[in-house]
């Protein structure tokens, strides 16, 4: 699709999320869609950039995430649409793309109690911060450094595309165990958890608030098994490692392939890594 004004940017014909997000799934959406079974409602316990929500066609969606700032943003965009998009755009005006402005607004984001202002600042920080990371310190403060981009993109068209679909969705701030407790007949589940580390000394989850340890990885696999026994299919994506192959050993089907990682701003440090999709039920 051409990059004409007002049209959302697409990759391989798919709708691109308005947030930059580590591990974004729009580049492998066809693999995911090929494995997702039909159903009435798609439940996503790890919302992330909402790439799967944007590129599937279920009647209803339950979109859950443990990041309160992310869910707050999605709810406000769902409720306000164009008014909120115009409000966010003002943060991208002259003088916005400097370290001084970025760090002042990052401090404001961490201090404000205004949900609407916080949501707009989240969009600004996401587009101006280092590599689009979402990372918090031990006190819960957003601490991603300035990204030094030449011309940060304001995703107005992508935000409109999200808003156009959001009437189908319920956005909830909760953890993945809560999401599994809500499952009902004719649901389908897609899980994109913070990925298991590729090695004992490496972690791909430093940008995630609260962390997601190996015990939680195993807990998720057990919940997927239990859901499948009740007739609710679950698809999980993760790194392809000996650990994930073990915990997903009871999956009905596992598909493995290589993907390009985009976490590093340095193109020479970007690399292919093994990906795994495990389908239960």
């Amino acid at each position: 699709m051409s990059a004409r004004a007002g049209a959302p940017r697409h990759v391989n014909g798919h709708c691109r999320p308005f947030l930059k997000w580590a591990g974004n799934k729009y580049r492998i959406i066809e693999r995911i869609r090929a494995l997702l079974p039909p159903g009435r409602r798609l439940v996503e316990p790890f919302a992330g950039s909402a790439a799967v929500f944007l590129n599937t066609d279920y009647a209803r969606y339950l979109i859950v995430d443990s990041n309160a700032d992310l869910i707050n943003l999605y709810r406000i965009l769902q409720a306000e649409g164009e008014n909120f998009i115009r409000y966010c755009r003002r943060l991208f005006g002259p003088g916005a793309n400097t370290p001084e402005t970025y760090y002042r607004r990052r401090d404001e984001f961490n201090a404000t109690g205004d949900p609407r202002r916080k949501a707009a600042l989240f969009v600004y920080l996401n587009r101006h911060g280092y590599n689009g990371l979402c990372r918090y310190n031990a006190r819960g403060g957003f601490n991603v450094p300035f990204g030094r981009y030449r011309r940060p993109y304001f995703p107005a068209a992508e935000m409109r595309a999200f808003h156009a679909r959001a009437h189908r969705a319920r956005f909830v701030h909760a953890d993945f165990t809560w999401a599994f407790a809500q499952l009902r007949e004719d649901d389908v589940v897609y899980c994109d958890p913070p990925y298991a580390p590729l090695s004992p000394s490496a972690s791909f989850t430093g940008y995630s608030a609260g962390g997601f340890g190996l015990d939680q990885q195993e807990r998720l696999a057990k919940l997927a098994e239990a859901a499948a026994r009740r007739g609710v299919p679950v698809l999980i994506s993760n790194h392809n490692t000996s650990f994930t192959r073990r915990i997903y050993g009871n999956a009905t089907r596992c598909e493995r392939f290589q993907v390009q990682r985009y976490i590093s701003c340095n193109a020479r440090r970007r690399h292919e890594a093994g990906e795994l999709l495990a389908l239960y039920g």
Side-chain angles (χ1 to χ4, degrees), residues 77-96:
L77 179 55
Q78 178 188 43
E80 295 192 24
E82 194 64 34
N83 285 338
F84 179 65
I85 294 168
R86 286 196 296 268
Y87 178 60
C88 292
R89 188 188 290 276
R90 294 201 292 267
L91 293 174
F92 286 67

Side-chain angles (χ1 to χ4, degrees), residues 38-58:
R40 176 164 177 77
R41 183 176 70 162
L42 181 67
V43 178
E44 291 195 62
F46 306 90
S49 69
V52 175
F53 159 67
L54 288 167
N55 289 287
T56 51
D57 194 25
Y58 292 87

Side-chain angles (χ1 to χ4, degrees), residues 15 32 37 49-50 73 102 137 145 177 195 198 208 217 230 255 278:
C15 187
I32 293 169
S49 69
L73 167 58
Y102 178 85
N137 61 28
T177 58
Y195 275 19
L198 286 168
S208 301
Q217 299 279 1
R230 301 198 314 271
E255 183 173 314

Side-chain angles (χ1 to χ4, degrees), residues 250-269:
N250 292 330
T252 308
R253 176 179 175 183
C254 278
E255 183 173 314
R256 306 171 192 175
F257 52 96
Q258 296 296 112
V259 295
Q260 184 76 29
R261 294 289 179 228
Y262 289 88
I263 286 296
S264 176
C265 280
N266 185 340
R268 289 176 297 180
R269 295 178 59 190

Side-chain angles (χ1 to χ4, degrees), residues 105-168:
R105 288 177 174 174
R106 191 180 75 174
D107 289 343
E108 182 187 359
F109 175 84
N110 287 326
T112 185
D114 180 344
R116 190 173 192 252
R117 182 64 175 173
K118 199 172 184 74
L121 287 167
F122 193 100
V123 177
Y124 167 85
L125 294 172
N126 176 262
R127 285 284 163 177
H128 291 78
Y130 180 78
N131 236 20
L133 296 181
C134 184
R135 187 185 66 195
Y136 299 81
N137 61 28
R139 298 184 302 277
F142 188 90
N143 66 354
V144 175
F146 181 57
R148 301 189 182 278
Y149 295 105
R150 182 178 177 183
R151 186 184 296 176
Y153 172 71
F154 180 64
E158 289 82 355
M159 293 175 78
R160 292 186 188 105
F162 184 100
H163 173 69
R165 294 182 59 84
H167 68 279
R168 303 191 195 186

